[in-house]
Amino acid sequence: MKLFSCLMALLFLLQAIPGLSLPKDTLRCLGYHGHCLHSKSCPEPFTAFGTCARRQKTCCIDTTSNFHTCQDEGGHCVPPEITCLQEQEGLCPHRGWKCCTEV
């Protein structure tokens, strides 16, 4: 019985630690200061930036903050193996991709 109590306490503590029980797409959205919403479209001034909760919700980021998407800034997202002639600030929906104005 003591072992069961210890295991339950450990599970409770692990769930209480922020980030351990969240899906990867949700952690990524929160890392970009996004919000997970049930709707498929985001209200103004937010824009869709991927998914949350194992693709059950939409990740919406605030376009009035410093976290603008790459396309909003006039660039395009490219994989890391492509070299940019000119890189610029902006979020890309794929992890590790960069925002370029010219390739």
Side-chain angles (χ1 to χ4, degrees):
M1 190 67 177
K2 284 186 178 184
L3 179 64
F4 179 75
S5 297
C6 289
L7 286 174
M8 292 305 291
L10 180 62
L11 285 173
F12 178 74
L13 286 173
L14 287 176
Q15 289 178 351
I17 298 171
L20 278 183
S21 61
L22 296 175
K24 288 181 183 179
D25 59 351
T26 303
L27 290 173
R28 184 173 168 275
C29 181
L30 296 175
Y32 285 117
H33 302 277
H35 303 278
C36 296
L37 302 178
H38 286 286
S39 64
K40 294 292 180 189
S41 61
C42 300
E44 290 291 329
F46 295 91
T47 186
F49 190 71
T51 60
C52 294
R54 295 181 180 91
R55 297 185 182 189
Q56 299 297 316
K57 298 180 182 177
T58 303
C59 174
C60 298
I61 58 170
D62 186 357
T63 57
T64 61
S65 71
N66 292 333
F67 299 99
H68 295 284
T69 62
C70 183
Q71 289 80 9
D72 289 343
E73 298 296 323
H76 53 276
C77 295
V78 296
E81 57 270 8
I82 295 179
T83 305
C84 294
L85 293 177
Q86 186 174 0
E87 209 169 318
Q88 84 177 48
E89 292 293 319
L91 300 176
C92 291
H94 300 289
R95 178 177 286 155
W97 285 36
K98 52 191 170 186
C99 183
C100 296
T101 53
E102 295 181 32
V103 180

